[in-house]
Amino acid sequence: GERFDTAVFIGHNLGLIASAENAPRFFDAARALVGSGGRIVGTSLDPYGPGNEDHLRYHDWNRERGRIPGQATIRVRYRQLTTEWFDWLFVSQEELASLAAASGWKLVEATEPDPSYMAVLTPD
């Protein structure tokens, strides 16, 4: 029955949100960890900073498929080991606030994107 005060997602690990469709599941799991009085502290990368043409084309391709532009499908490889493909979400602060609000959370504080930023969210 005990809960944590804070769930920490550093190293751009707010990317675990994965997608707009998965956001409610992510925020529900966080609420189970911290309860109504806790918070999330995490970092992400604003994908809209200066980038190269490949990134811009990937954003456009995501938009065409109805995905958030900064949603990436990746896998991890270490020597001969490789994970399955999975989604990772890089979002602007505005997108994070919107996804959080739809799941009953509120973005209460954020650092200036450079392009990484830290965010603090609390249950609404």
Side-chain angles (χ1 to χ4, degrees):
E2 292 187 48
R3 299 193 194 276
F4 294 94
D5 294 329
T6 305
V8 179
F9 296 92
I10 57 173
H12 296 163
N13 278 327
L14 287 174
L16 291 167
I17 295 170
S19 66
E21 295 77 22
N22 192 65
R25 185 171 159 218
F26 173 89
F27 285 110
D28 287 349
R31 188 184 307 273
L33 287 173
V34 302
S36 60
R39 64 184 176 173
I40 295 171
V41 175
T43 60
S44 188
L45 173 81
D46 187 328
Y48 303 108
N52 63 38
E53 290 300 313
D54 290 334
H55 287 143
L56 297 176
R57 281 193 295 275
Y58 195 82
H59 289 179
D60 290 341
W61 186 56
N62 274 339
R63 285 184 189 98
E64 290 168 8
R65 297 182 315 156
R67 294 164 46 112
I68 295 174
Q71 186 173 340
T73 302
I74 63 174
R75 64 181 179 176
V76 177
R77 182 184 303 261
Y78 176 74
R79 295 185 181 169
Q80 301 301 314
L81 303 173
T82 306
T83 68
E84 298 294 322
W85 290 96
F86 60 94
D87 285 326
W88 196 263
L89 189 60
F90 297 106
V91 289
S92 68
Q93 291 177 16
E94 294 78 15
E95 290 167 331
L96 177 61
S98 177
L99 292 170
S103 296
W105 287 75
K106 182 176 181 179
L107 177 63
V108 295
E109 187 177 349
T111 62
E112 191 68 32
D114 190 20
S116 296
Y117 64 91
M118 182 186 71
V120 178
L121 300 108
T122 58
D124 204 12

